Amino acid sequence: DFQAQYANLTLIGLLEDYKGKIIGTKDSLANLASTSVGDTMLEVEDFLCNMNVSFVERRYDEVKNDICGTLFGGVAQINWALWLLGISLEVVAVLAHVLTVRLRGLSEK
């Protein structure tokens, strides 16, 4: 079957046939713009041109800055403040115990 169709074609003949098919495809694509598919393509192009959503990026940056910078920064400051307060209370408790023992010894004498 293959030999019956293509055995008599030369390389130049195959290239000419390919050229004809490419020209036919180009013409079909050019005619596509005048059909309903072409109207759909124009609507999609119009939609893409009007789809400027730069406000989303700006809002995302604002939310990211507010959450990652302000909120987590505040939580970290509160965390460190509570740790410092806890360590200070431990120091005060130890110092109070030491002073109680020392001062009790002086009052008994």
Side-chain angles (χ1 to χ4, degrees):
D1 186 41
F2 179 77
Q3 286 182 346
Q5 285 184 332
Y6 299 107
N8 57 353
L9 295 177
T10 62
L11 183 59
I12 294 178
L14 288 173
L15 288 176
E16 289 294 326
D17 185 42
Y18 183 70
K19 178 182 173 184
K21 289 180 181 177
I22 290 293
I23 290 172
T25 303
K26 179 186 68 92
D27 292 339
S28 296
L29 288 175
N31 292 335
L32 185 66
S34 63
T35 63
S36 62
V37 175
D39 294 337
T40 305
M41 290 168 55
L42 291 175
E43 290 295 326
V44 168
E45 183 179 348
D46 187 40
F47 175 74
L48 290 176
C49 288
N50 293 327
M51 196 178 64
N52 184 6
V53 290
S54 60
F55 67 93
V56 172
E57 179 185 5
R58 188 173 58 248
R59 284 287 184 196
Y60 174 78
D61 288 339
E62 289 174 4
V63 169
K64 180 181 174 188
N65 184 33
D66 289 344
I67 290 179
C68 295
T70 307
L71 179 71
F72 288 157
V75 170
Q77 287 178 350
I78 292 170
N79 182 28
W80 288 114
L82 290 174
W83 274 100
L84 185 62
L85 181 65
I87 291 171
S88 299
L89 287 175
E90 289 294 326
V91 169
V92 168
V94 169
L95 187 62
H97 177 71
V98 169
L99 287 175
T100 303
V101 171
R102 293 244 177 197
L103 291 176
R104 185 178 300 146
L106 286 176
S107 66
E108 290 178 357
K109 289 184 182 179

